Amino acid sequence: MILVPKIIRDVEEKILKAACELFQENGYRNCDMKSIAAKAGTAVGNIYRYYRSKDELFVESMKSSLMTEIDLLERTVDSSQSAREKLLKFLEGLYGIMEKKIDLFEEYVTERETLPGINLEILLENRLVEILGELESIPEGCEDRAAVCLLVSILVMLRHFPGEGEKNLRFMEFMLNGLLVKHEVRDI
């Protein structure tokens, strides 16, 4: 295990935090490395010691921010709950995260074809697939499709019905109830 001095970790954390805040406030295209460096209290050249480009910094700041929030969310999901309860709790929390960061998520979706690195949807999708896999009503091999459907539904509802979180979450529960009905499904 390589030990990284605390001061170096702190600089990188400050850069990521500043980048995430500025990307969220100004959007990807309207944010530059000079502004990020100023907000982080470091030199522009120092940012390039950690990240090769603004694209890489954007992806890493999104990933870092999202994973922090998802980790916090997962701590609220009780392992003794039924799969349905876990899924509803996770979706409610995920909805809240995405609602807070809707502009950043949309910016990512818009720019992702040109961005390097990890596909953020996969991080979310994998956790949803894991929970969906516990549900007996979802045909084996369809968990990934159900996860994508739920993620897209959240984004679409946030855009088309902003400020209607309670109604949107009730609809998600209604939709989920349809998924939970055991169906006879032919091979896909």
Side-chain angles (χ1 to χ4, degrees), residues 113-179:
E113 294 301 319
T114 62
L115 295 173
I118 194 155
N119 184 332
L120 293 176
E121 300 97 288
I122 289 176
L123 295 173
L124 295 173
E125 185 183 321
N126 286 343
R127 182 58 183 127
L128 278 171
V129 166
E130 186 180 308
I131 296 171
L132 288 164
E134 296 177 30
L135 299 169
E136 293 177 10
S137 58
I138 306 247
E140 190 174 329
C142 291
E143 299 90 349
D144 55 342
R145 288 167 178 78
V148 169
C149 178
L150 292 169
L151 287 172
V152 169
S153 295
I154 292 173
L155 277 174
V156 169
M157 282 190 285
L158 283 168
R159 261 306 152 216
H160 289 279
F161 306 104
E164 296 185 33
E166 194 173 310
K167 284 182 182 178
N168 291 341
L169 287 168
R170 274 200 332 259
F171 179 77
M172 292 290 290
E173 186 172 2
F174 168 78
M175 199 168 77
L176 181 60
N177 286 335
L179 286 173

Short mmCIF file of all heavy atoms in Angstrom, two decimals, residues 113-179:
data_model
loop_
_atom_site.label_atom_id
_atom_site.label_comp_id
_atom_site.label_asym_id
_atom_site.label_seq_id
_atom_site.Cartn_x
_atom_site.Cartn_y
_atom_site.Cartn_z
N GLU A 113 -20.28 11.70 -24.36
CA GLU A 113 -19.69 11.06 -25.55
C GLU A 113 -18.24 11.51 -25.75
O GLU A 113 -17.45 10.78 -26.31
CB GLU A 113 -20.51 11.39 -26.79
CG GLU A 113 -21.91 10.79 -26.77
CD GLU A 113 -21.92 9.27 -26.65
OE1 GLU A 113 -21.10 8.61 -27.30
OE2 GLU A 113 -22.76 8.75 -25.90
N THR A 114 -17.92 12.72 -25.30
CA THR A 114 -16.58 13.25 -25.51
C THR A 114 -15.71 13.10 -24.27
O THR A 114 -14.55 13.50 -24.28
CB THR A 114 -16.63 14.74 -25.89
OG1 THR A 114 -17.22 15.47 -24.80
CG2 THR A 114 -17.44 14.96 -27.14
N LEU A 115 -16.27 12.55 -23.19
CA LEU A 115 -15.53 12.47 -21.94
C LEU A 115 -14.86 11.12 -21.76
O LEU A 115 -15.42 10.09 -22.10
CB LEU A 115 -16.47 12.72 -20.76
CG LEU A 115 -17.08 14.12 -20.70
CD1 LEU A 115 -18.12 14.17 -19.58
CD2 LEU A 115 -16.03 15.17 -20.48
N PRO A 116 -13.66 11.13 -21.17
CA PRO A 116 -12.96 9.88 -20.90
C PRO A 116 -13.48 9.23 -19.63
O PRO A 116 -14.23 9.84 -18.88
CB PRO A 116 -11.52 10.35 -20.69
CG PRO A 116 -11.68 11.70 -20.05
CD PRO A 116 -12.90 12.30 -20.73
N GLY A 117 -13.08 8.03 -19.40
CA GLY A 117 -13.30 7.44 -18.09
C GLY A 117 -14.60 6.70 -17.93
O GLY A 117 -15.22 6.25 -18.88
N ILE A 118 -14.99 6.63 -16.70
CA ILE A 118 -16.09 5.77 -16.30
C ILE A 118 -17.46 6.30 -16.71
O ILE A 118 -17.67 7.49 -16.77
CB ILE A 118 -16.03 5.56 -14.78
CG1 ILE A 118 -16.92 4.43 -14.36
CG2 ILE A 118 -16.36 6.82 -14.03
CD1 ILE A 118 -16.49 3.79 -13.08
N ASN A 119 -18.32 5.40 -17.01
CA ASN A 119 -19.70 5.71 -17.33
C ASN A 119 -20.46 5.77 -16.00
O ASN A 119 -20.64 4.76 -15.34
CB ASN A 119 -20.24 4.60 -18.24
CG ASN A 119 -21.62 4.85 -18.71
OD1 ASN A 119 -22.41 5.53 -18.05
ND2 ASN A 119 -21.95 4.29 -19.86
N LEU A 120 -20.87 6.97 -15.59
CA LEU A 120 -21.48 7.14 -14.28
C LEU A 120 -22.78 6.36 -14.11
O LEU A 120 -23.09 5.90 -13.02
CB LEU A 120 -21.74 8.62 -14.00
CG LEU A 120 -20.49 9.48 -13.84
CD1 LEU A 120 -20.87 10.93 -13.67
CD2 LEU A 120 -19.66 9.02 -12.67
N GLU A 121 -23.51 6.19 -15.20
CA GLU A 121 -24.75 5.42 -15.09
C GLU A 121 -24.48 4.00 -14.61
O GLU A 121 -25.28 3.42 -13.91
CB GLU A 121 -25.51 5.33 -16.42
CG GLU A 121 -25.93 6.63 -17.01
CD GLU A 121 -24.96 7.12 -18.06
OE1 GLU A 121 -23.86 7.54 -17.68
OE2 GLU A 121 -25.28 7.11 -19.25
N ILE A 122 -23.33 3.46 -15.02
CA ILE A 122 -22.99 2.09 -14.63
C ILE A 122 -22.83 1.99 -13.12
O ILE A 122 -23.24 1.01 -12.51
CB ILE A 122 -21.75 1.59 -15.39
CG1 ILE A 122 -22.12 1.38 -16.86
CG2 ILE A 122 -21.20 0.31 -14.78
CD1 ILE A 122 -20.98 0.98 -17.75
N LEU A 123 -22.27 3.02 -12.49
CA LEU A 123 -22.13 3.00 -11.03
C LEU A 123 -23.50 2.90 -10.37
O LEU A 123 -23.69 2.11 -9.44
CB LEU A 123 -21.44 4.28 -10.54
CG LEU A 123 -19.99 4.47 -10.97
CD1 LEU A 123 -19.50 5.84 -10.54
CD2 LEU A 123 -19.11 3.39 -10.38
N LEU A 124 -24.44 3.69 -10.85
CA LEU A 124 -25.80 3.66 -10.29
C LEU A 124 -26.52 2.39 -10.69
O LEU A 124 -27.19 1.76 -9.88
CB LEU A 124 -26.59 4.87 -10.79
CG LEU A 124 -26.10 6.23 -10.34
CD1 LEU A 124 -26.86 7.33 -11.04
CD2 LEU A 124 -26.22 6.36 -8.83
N GLU A 125 -26.37 2.04 -11.94
CA GLU A 125 -27.07 0.87 -12.47
C GLU A 125 -26.65 -0.40 -11.74
O GLU A 125 -27.49 -1.23 -11.39
CB GLU A 125 -26.77 0.74 -13.96
CG GLU A 125 -27.53 -0.35 -14.66
CD GLU A 125 -27.11 -0.46 -16.12
OE1 GLU A 125 -26.88 0.58 -16.77
OE2 GLU A 125 -27.02 -1.60 -16.59
N ASN A 126 -25.36 -0.53 -11.45
CA ASN A 126 -24.88 -1.74 -10.77
C ASN A 126 -25.53 -1.91 -9.40
O ASN A 126 -25.90 -3.02 -9.02
CB ASN A 126 -23.36 -1.72 -10.63
CG ASN A 126 -22.66 -1.98 -11.94
OD1 ASN A 126 -23.26 -2.48 -12.89
ND2 ASN A 126 -21.40 -1.64 -12.01
N ARG A 127 -25.67 -0.81 -8.67
CA ARG A 127 -26.30 -0.90 -7.34
C ARG A 127 -27.78 -1.26 -7.49
O ARG A 127 -28.30 -2.07 -6.74
CB ARG A 127 -26.12 0.41 -6.57
CG ARG A 127 -26.71 0.36 -5.17
CD ARG A 127 -26.10 -0.77 -4.32
NE ARG A 127 -26.73 -0.83 -3.03
CZ ARG A 127 -27.27 -1.91 -2.50
NH1 ARG A 127 -27.22 -3.05 -3.15
NH2 ARG A 127 -27.83 -1.88 -1.33
N LEU A 128 -28.45 -0.65 -8.45
CA LEU A 128 -29.86 -0.97 -8.68
C LEU A 128 -30.02 -2.42 -9.12
O LEU A 128 -30.93 -3.12 -8.66
CB LEU A 128 -30.46 -0.04 -9.73
CG LEU A 128 -30.91 1.33 -9.23
CD1 LEU A 128 -31.28 2.22 -10.41
CD2 LEU A 128 -32.07 1.20 -8.27
N VAL A 129 -29.16 -2.89 -10.00
CA VAL A 129 -29.21 -4.27 -10.48
C VAL A 129 -29.06 -5.23 -9.29
O VAL A 129 -29.77 -6.23 -9.20
CB VAL A 129 -28.14 -4.54 -11.56
CG1 VAL A 129 -27.96 -6.03 -11.80
CG2 VAL A 129 -28.50 -3.83 -12.84
N GLU A 130 -28.17 -4.89 -8.39
CA GLU A 130 -27.94 -5.72 -7.20
C GLU A 130 -29.23 -5.83 -6.37
O GLU A 130 -29.63 -6.93 -5.96
CB GLU A 130 -26.83 -5.09 -6.36
CG GLU A 130 -26.37 -5.89 -5.18
CD GLU A 130 -25.27 -5.15 -4.44
OE1 GLU A 130 -24.28 -4.75 -5.07
OE2 GLU A 130 -25.42 -4.99 -3.22
N ILE A 131 -29.89 -4.71 -6.13
CA ILE A 131 -31.13 -4.73 -5.35
C ILE A 131 -32.24 -5.42 -6.13
O ILE A 131 -32.99 -6.24 -5.59
CB ILE A 131 -31.57 -3.30 -4.96
CG1 ILE A 131 -30.53 -2.65 -4.03
CG2 ILE A 131 -32.93 -3.32 -4.25
CD1 ILE A 131 -30.75 -1.18 -3.76
N LEU A 132 -32.35 -5.10 -7.43
CA LEU A 132 -33.38 -5.72 -8.26
C LEU A 132 -33.21 -7.23 -8.34
O LEU A 132 -34.19 -7.96 -8.45
CB LEU A 132 -33.38 -5.10 -9.66
CG LEU A 132 -33.92 -3.67 -9.75
CD1 LEU A 132 -33.51 -3.03 -11.07
CD2 LEU A 132 -35.42 -3.63 -9.58
N GLY A 133 -31.97 -7.69 -8.29
CA GLY A 133 -31.69 -9.12 -8.34
C GLY A 133 -32.29 -9.88 -7.16
O GLY A 133 -32.50 -11.08 -7.22
N GLU A 134 -32.56 -9.15 -6.05
CA GLU A 134 -33.17 -9.77 -4.88
C GLU A 134 -34.67 -9.97 -5.05
O GLU A 134 -35.30 -10.67 -4.28
CB GLU A 134 -32.92 -8.90 -3.64
CG GLU A 134 -31.46 -8.77 -3.25
CD GLU A 134 -31.28 -7.84 -2.07
OE1 GLU A 134 -32.19 -7.74 -1.22
OE2 GLU A 134 -30.21 -7.20 -1.99
N LEU A 135 -35.24 -9.32 -6.06
CA LEU A 135 -36.68 -9.43 -6.29
C LEU A 135 -36.97 -10.64 -7.15
O LEU A 135 -36.43 -10.78 -8.24
CB LEU A 135 -37.19 -8.16 -6.99
CG LEU A 135 -37.01 -6.85 -6.23
CD1 LEU A 135 -37.32 -5.68 -7.14
CD2 LEU A 135 -37.90 -6.83 -5.00
N GLU A 136 -37.83 -11.50 -6.69
CA GLU A 136 -38.15 -12.72 -7.43
C GLU A 136 -39.01 -12.44 -8.66
O GLU A 136 -39.06 -13.24 -9.58
CB GLU A 136 -38.86 -13.71 -6.51
CG GLU A 136 -37.97 -14.23 -5.41
CD GLU A 136 -38.71 -15.16 -4.46
OE1 GLU A 136 -39.85 -15.54 -4.75
OE2 GLU A 136 -38.12 -15.49 -3.42
N SER A 137 -39.69 -11.29 -8.67
CA SER A 137 -40.63 -11.01 -9.76
C SER A 137 -39.95 -10.52 -11.04
O SER A 137 -40.54 -10.55 -12.11
CB SER A 137 -41.64 -9.96 -9.31
OG SER A 137 -40.97 -8.79 -8.90
N ILE A 138 -38.71 -10.10 -10.95
CA ILE A 138 -38.01 -9.61 -12.14
C ILE A 138 -37.37 -10.82 -12.82
O ILE A 138 -36.59 -11.54 -12.20
CB ILE A 138 -36.92 -8.58 -11.78
CG1 ILE A 138 -37.53 -7.47 -10.95
CG2 ILE A 138 -36.18 -8.11 -13.01
CD1 ILE A 138 -37.62 -6.14 -11.52
N PRO A 139 -37.70 -11.05 -14.08
CA PRO A 139 -37.12 -12.20 -14.78
C PRO A 139 -35.59 -12.12 -14.78
O PRO A 139 -35.03 -11.04 -14.95
CB PRO A 139 -37.67 -12.08 -16.20
CG PRO A 139 -38.87 -11.21 -16.07
CD PRO A 139 -38.61 -10.29 -14.93
N GLU A 140 -34.97 -13.25 -14.58
CA GLU A 140 -33.51 -13.31 -14.56
C GLU A 140 -32.97 -12.73 -15.87
O GLU A 140 -33.46 -13.01 -16.95
CB GLU A 140 -33.05 -14.75 -14.40
CG GLU A 140 -31.57 -14.86 -14.11
CD GLU A 140 -31.15 -16.28 -13.80
OE1 GLU A 140 -31.96 -17.05 -13.25
OE2 GLU A 140 -30.00 -16.60 -14.13
N GLY A 141 -31.96 -11.89 -15.73
CA GLY A 141 -31.35 -11.27 -16.91
C GLY A 141 -32.01 -9.96 -17.31
O GLY A 141 -31.53 -9.29 -18.22
N CYS A 142 -33.08 -9.58 -16.65
CA CYS A 142 -33.77 -8.32 -16.98
C CYS A 142 -33.50 -7.22 -15.96
O CYS A 142 -34.01 -6.11 -16.09
CB CYS A 142 -35.28 -8.55 -17.10
SG CYS A 142 -35.73 -9.54 -18.53
N GLU A 143 -32.70 -7.51 -14.94
CA GLU A 143 -32.44 -6.53 -13.89
C GLU A 143 -31.79 -5.27 -14.45
O GLU A 143 -32.12 -4.16 -14.03
CB GLU A 143 -31.53 -7.12 -12.80
CG GLU A 143 -32.09 -8.31 -12.09
CD GLU A 143 -31.72 -9.63 -12.74
OE1 GLU A 143 -31.18 -9.65 -13.87
OE2 GLU A 143 -31.99 -10.68 -12.12
N ASP A 144 -30.87 -5.44 -15.41
CA ASP A 144 -30.18 -4.27 -15.97
C ASP A 144 -31.15 -3.37 -16.73
O ASP A 144 -31.08 -2.16 -16.66
CB ASP A 144 -29.00 -4.68 -16.86
CG ASP A 144 -29.36 -5.64 -17.97
OD1 ASP A 144 -30.44 -6.28 -17.89
OD2 ASP A 144 -28.58 -5.77 -18.92
N ARG A 145 -32.10 -3.98 -17.43
CA ARG A 145 -33.10 -3.19 -18.17
C ARG A 145 -34.01 -2.44 -17.19
O ARG A 145 -34.35 -1.28 -17.41
CB ARG A 145 -33.92 -4.10 -19.08
CG ARG A 145 -33.12 -4.57 -20.28
CD ARG A 145 -33.84 -5.70 -21.00
NE ARG A 145 -33.10 -6.13 -22.18
CZ ARG A 145 -32.02 -6.90 -22.16
NH1 ARG A 145 -31.54 -7.33 -21.02
NH2 ARG A 145 -31.41 -7.24 -23.26
N ALA A 146 -34.39 -3.10 -16.12
CA ALA A 146 -35.23 -2.45 -15.12
C ALA A 146 -34.48 -1.29 -14.46
O ALA A 146 -35.05 -0.22 -14.24
CB ALA A 146 -35.67 -3.47 -14.06
N ALA A 147 -33.20 -1.48 -14.19
CA ALA A 147 -32.38 -0.42 -13.57
C ALA A 147 -32.28 0.79 -14.49
O ALA A 147 -32.46 1.93 -14.05
CB ALA A 147 -30.99 -0.95 -13.24
N VAL A 148 -32.02 0.56 -15.78
CA VAL A 148 -31.93 1.67 -16.73
C VAL A 148 -33.27 2.39 -16.83
O VAL A 148 -33.33 3.62 -16.83
CB VAL A 148 -31.47 1.16 -18.13
CG1 VAL A 148 -31.64 2.23 -19.18
CG2 VAL A 148 -30.02 0.69 -18.06
N CYS A 149 -34.34 1.63 -16.86
CA CYS A 149 -35.68 2.20 -16.92
C CYS A 149 -35.94 3.12 -15.72
O CYS A 149 -36.45 4.24 -15.87
CB CYS A 149 -36.71 1.08 -16.97
SG CYS A 149 -38.41 1.64 -17.00
N LEU A 150 -35.56 2.68 -14.54
CA LEU A 150 -35.76 3.49 -13.33
C LEU A 150 -34.91 4.75 -13.35
O LEU A 150 -35.38 5.83 -13.00
CB LEU A 150 -35.48 2.64 -12.09
CG LEU A 150 -36.48 1.51 -11.83
CD1 LEU A 150 -35.96 0.57 -10.74
CD2 LEU A 150 -37.84 2.06 -11.46
N LEU A 151 -33.65 4.63 -13.77
CA LEU A 151 -32.76 5.81 -13.83
C LEU A 151 -33.27 6.84 -14.83
O LEU A 151 -33.32 8.04 -14.53
CB LEU A 151 -31.33 5.39 -14.21
CG LEU A 151 -30.54 4.67 -13.14
CD1 LEU A 151 -29.23 4.14 -13.71
CD2 LEU A 151 -30.27 5.60 -11.97
N VAL A 152 -33.64 6.38 -16.00
CA VAL A 152 -34.16 7.30 -17.03
C VAL A 152 -35.45 7.94 -16.55
O VAL A 152 -35.66 9.14 -16.74
CB VAL A 152 -34.35 6.56 -18.37
CG1 VAL A 152 -35.12 7.40 -19.37
CG2 VAL A 152 -33.00 6.16 -18.95
N SER A 153 -36.29 7.17 -15.90
CA SER A 153 -37.56 7.71 -15.39
C SER A 153 -37.32 8.85 -14.41
O SER A 153 -38.01 9.87 -14.44
CB SER A 153 -38.36 6.61 -14.70
OG SER A 153 -38.75 5.64 -15.62
N ILE A 154 -36.34 8.69 -13.53
CA ILE A 154 -36.04 9.76 -12.57
C ILE A 154 -35.62 11.02 -13.30
O ILE A 154 -36.14 12.11 -13.04
CB ILE A 154 -34.95 9.32 -11.56
CG1 ILE A 154 -35.49 8.23 -10.64
CG2 ILE A 154 -34.46 10.52 -10.75
CD1 ILE A 154 -34.45 7.61 -9.72
N LEU A 155 -34.69 10.90 -14.25
CA LEU A 155 -34.22 12.08 -14.98
C LEU A 155 -35.35 12.76 -15.75
O LEU A 155 -35.48 13.99 -15.73
CB LEU A 155 -33.10 11.70 -15.96
CG LEU A 155 -31.70 11.61 -15.39
CD1 LEU A 155 -30.73 11.07 -16.43
CD2 LEU A 155 -31.22 12.95 -14.88
N VAL A 156 -36.17 11.98 -16.41
CA VAL A 156 -37.27 12.54 -17.20
C VAL A 156 -38.27 13.23 -16.28
O VAL A 156 -38.72 14.35 -16.57
CB VAL A 156 -37.94 11.45 -18.06
CG1 VAL A 156 -39.23 11.95 -18.68
CG2 VAL A 156 -36.97 10.97 -19.15
N MET A 157 -38.62 12.61 -15.17
CA MET A 157 -39.58 13.23 -14.26
C MET A 157 -39.04 14.52 -13.64
O MET A 157 -39.78 15.48 -13.46
CB MET A 157 -40.01 12.25 -13.17
CG MET A 157 -41.02 11.25 -13.67
SD MET A 157 -41.75 10.26 -12.37
CE MET A 157 -40.41 9.16 -12.02
N LEU A 158 -37.76 14.53 -13.32
CA LEU A 158 -37.16 15.74 -12.76
C LEU A 158 -37.25 16.91 -13.74
O LEU A 158 -37.42 18.05 -13.34
CB LEU A 158 -35.70 15.50 -12.37
CG LEU A 158 -35.50 14.72 -11.08
CD1 LEU A 158 -34.06 14.29 -10.94
CD2 LEU A 158 -35.93 15.55 -9.88
N ARG A 159 -37.14 16.63 -15.02
CA ARG A 159 -37.21 17.69 -16.03
C ARG A 159 -38.65 18.07 -16.36
O ARG A 159 -38.97 19.23 -16.48
CB ARG A 159 -36.51 17.25 -17.32
CG ARG A 159 -35.15 17.77 -17.45
CD ARG A 159 -35.07 19.29 -17.31
NE ARG A 159 -33.78 19.63 -16.81
CZ ARG A 159 -33.51 20.61 -15.97
NH1 ARG A 159 -34.43 21.41 -15.54
NH2 ARG A 159 -32.30 20.82 -15.56
N HIS A 160 -39.51 17.10 -16.49
CA HIS A 160 -40.88 17.38 -16.92
C HIS A 160 -41.81 17.76 -15.78
O HIS A 160 -42.83 18.43 -16.00
CB HIS A 160 -41.46 16.18 -17.69
CG HIS A 160 -40.84 16.02 -19.03
ND1 HIS A 160 -41.21 16.75 -20.13
CD2 HIS A 160 -39.82 15.22 -19.44
CE1 HIS A 160 -40.47 16.41 -21.16
NE2 HIS A 160 -39.62 15.47 -20.78
N PHE A 161 -41.49 17.33 -14.57
CA PHE A 161 -42.34 17.62 -13.41
C PHE A 161 -41.49 18.12 -12.25
O PHE A 161 -41.48 17.53 -11.17
CB PHE A 161 -43.12 16.37 -13.00
CG PHE A 161 -43.90 15.75 -14.13
CD1 PHE A 161 -43.45 14.60 -14.76
CD2 PHE A 161 -45.07 16.34 -14.58
CE1 PHE A 161 -44.15 14.03 -15.80
CE2 PHE A 161 -45.79 15.78 -15.64
CZ PHE A 161 -45.33 14.63 -16.26
N PRO A 162 -40.76 19.24 -12.45
CA PRO A 162 -39.88 19.75 -11.39
C PRO A 162 -40.72 20.21 -10.19
O PRO A 162 -41.84 20.68 -10.35
CB PRO A 162 -39.17 20.92 -12.06
CG PRO A 162 -40.07 21.36 -13.15
CD PRO A 162 -40.78 20.12 -13.62
N GLY A 163 -40.16 20.03 -9.02
CA GLY A 163 -40.84 20.48 -7.81
C GLY A 163 -42.00 19.60 -7.39
O GLY A 163 -42.73 19.94 -6.46
N GLU A 164 -42.17 18.48 -8.06
CA GLU A 164 -43.27 17.57 -7.73
C GLU A 164 -42.72 16.25 -7.21
O GLU A 164 -43.18 15.17 -7.60
CB GLU A 164 -44.17 17.35 -8.95
CG GLU A 164 -44.89 18.60 -9.42
CD GLU A 164 -45.86 18.33 -10.55
OE1 GLU A 164 -46.47 17.24 -10.59
OE2 GLU A 164 -46.00 19.23 -11.41
N GLY A 165 -41.73 16.34 -6.34
CA GLY A 165 -41.05 15.16 -5.84
C GLY A 165 -41.96 14.11 -5.25
O GLY A 165 -41.83 12.92 -5.53
N GLU A 166 -42.93 14.53 -4.44
CA GLU A 166 -43.82 13.56 -3.81
C GLU A 166 -44.64 12.79 -4.85
O GLU A 166 -44.75 11.57 -4.80
CB GLU A 166 -44.75 14.27 -2.82
CG GLU A 166 -45.46 13.32 -1.90
CD GLU A 166 -46.25 14.06 -0.82
OE1 GLU A 166 -45.66 14.95 -0.17
OE2 GLU A 166 -47.43 13.74 -0.66
N LYS A 167 -45.20 13.51 -5.82
CA LYS A 167 -45.98 12.85 -6.88
C LYS A 167 -45.08 11.96 -7.72
O LYS A 167 -45.47 10.85 -8.10
CB LYS A 167 -46.64 13.89 -7.79
CG LYS A 167 -47.85 14.55 -7.19
CD LYS A 167 -48.45 15.52 -8.20
CE LYS A 167 -49.64 16.25 -7.63
NZ LYS A 167 -50.19 17.21 -8.59
N ASN A 168 -43.89 12.45 -8.04
CA ASN A 168 -42.96 11.66 -8.85
C ASN A 168 -42.57 10.36 -8.14
O ASN A 168 -42.51 9.30 -8.75
CB ASN A 168 -41.71 12.47 -9.19
CG ASN A 168 -41.99 13.60 -10.15
OD1 ASN A 168 -43.01 13.61 -10.85
ND2 ASN A 168 -41.10 14.57 -10.19
N LEU A 169 -42.32 10.46 -6.84
CA LEU A 169 -41.97 9.26 -6.07
C LEU A 169 -43.15 8.30 -5.95
O LEU A 169 -42.96 7.09 -6.01
CB LEU A 169 -41.44 9.65 -4.69
CG LEU A 169 -40.03 10.26 -4.72
CD1 LEU A 169 -39.69 10.88 -3.38
CD2 LEU A 169 -38.99 9.23 -5.12
N ARG A 170 -44.35 8.84 -5.83
CA ARG A 170 -45.54 7.97 -5.82
C ARG A 170 -45.68 7.24 -7.15
O ARG A 170 -46.02 6.05 -7.20
CB ARG A 170 -46.81 8.78 -5.52
CG ARG A 170 -47.06 8.96 -4.05
CD ARG A 170 -48.50 9.32 -3.69
NE ARG A 170 -49.25 10.03 -4.67
CZ ARG A 170 -49.50 11.35 -4.66
NH1 ARG A 170 -49.03 12.09 -3.69
NH2 ARG A 170 -50.22 11.91 -5.61
N PHE A 171 -45.40 7.96 -8.24
CA PHE A 171 -45.46 7.32 -9.55
C PHE A 171 -44.39 6.23 -9.66
O PHE A 171 -44.64 5.16 -10.21
CB PHE A 171 -45.33 8.32 -10.70
CG PHE A 171 -45.36 7.64 -12.04
CD1 PHE A 171 -46.57 7.21 -12.57
CD2 PHE A 171 -44.19 7.39 -12.73
CE1 PHE A 171 -46.61 6.54 -13.79
CE2 PHE A 171 -44.22 6.73 -13.95
CZ PHE A 171 -45.43 6.30 -14.48
N MET A 172 -43.18 6.52 -9.16
CA MET A 172 -42.11 5.52 -9.20
C MET A 172 -42.54 4.26 -8.43
O MET A 172 -42.29 3.14 -8.87
CB MET A 172 -40.82 6.06 -8.58
CG MET A 172 -40.13 7.17 -9.35
SD MET A 172 -39.38 6.61 -10.87
CE MET A 172 -38.02 5.66 -10.26
N GLU A 173 -43.22 4.46 -7.30
CA GLU A 173 -43.70 3.32 -6.52
C GLU A 173 -44.76 2.55 -7.32
O GLU A 173 -44.76 1.33 -7.36
CB GLU A 173 -44.27 3.77 -5.18
CG GLU A 173 -44.65 2.63 -4.29
CD GLU A 173 -45.02 3.05 -2.88
OE1 GLU A 173 -45.02 4.26 -2.58
OE2 GLU A 173 -45.33 2.14 -2.09
N PHE A 174 -45.64 3.29 -7.99
CA PHE A 174 -46.67 2.67 -8.84
C PHE A 174 -45.99 1.84 -9.95
O PHE A 174 -46.35 0.70 -10.20
CB PHE A 174 -47.56 3.76 -9.43
CG PHE A 174 -48.47 3.29 -10.53
CD1 PHE A 174 -49.64 2.61 -10.24
CD2 PHE A 174 -48.17 3.56 -11.87
CE1 PHE A 174 -50.49 2.18 -11.25
CE2 PHE A 174 -49.00 3.12 -12.89
CZ PHE A 174 -50.16 2.43 -12.58
N MET A 175 -45.01 2.43 -10.59
CA MET A 175 -44.28 1.75 -11.66
C MET A 175 -43.56 0.51 -11.11
O MET A 175 -43.58 -0.56 -11.71
CB MET A 175 -43.27 2.72 -12.29
CG MET A 175 -42.79 2.33 -13.64
SD MET A 175 -41.90 3.66 -14.46
CE MET A 175 -40.35 3.62 -13.63
N LEU A 176 -42.97 0.68 -9.95
CA LEU A 176 -42.26 -0.42 -9.31
C LEU A 176 -43.22 -1.56 -8.97
O LEU A 176 -42.89 -2.72 -9.15
CB LEU A 176 -41.56 0.07 -8.04
CG LEU A 176 -40.74 -0.94 -7.28
CD1 LEU A 176 -39.63 -1.50 -8.15
CD2 LEU A 176 -40.19 -0.34 -6.03
N ASN A 177 -44.41 -1.22 -8.51
CA ASN A 177 -45.40 -2.25 -8.21
C ASN A 177 -45.70 -3.08 -9.45
O ASN A 177 -45.91 -4.29 -9.36
CB ASN A 177 -46.68 -1.64 -7.63
CG ASN A 177 -46.49 -1.18 -6.21
OD1 ASN A 177 -45.62 -1.67 -5.49
ND2 ASN A 177 -47.28 -0.21 -5.80
N GLY A 178 -45.72 -2.45 -10.62
CA GLY A 178 -45.90 -3.18 -11.88
C GLY A 178 -44.76 -4.14 -12.14
O GLY A 178 -44.96 -5.25 -12.64
N LEU A 179 -43.55 -3.73 -11.77
CA LEU A 179 -42.39 -4.60 -11.94
C LEU A 179 -42.41 -5.78 -10.97
O LEU A 179 -41.87 -6.84 -11.25
CB LEU A 179 -41.09 -3.82 -11.70
CG LEU A 179 -40.63 -2.85 -12.77
CD1 LEU A 179 -39.44 -2.04 -12.27
CD2 LEU A 179 -40.27 -3.58 -14.04
#
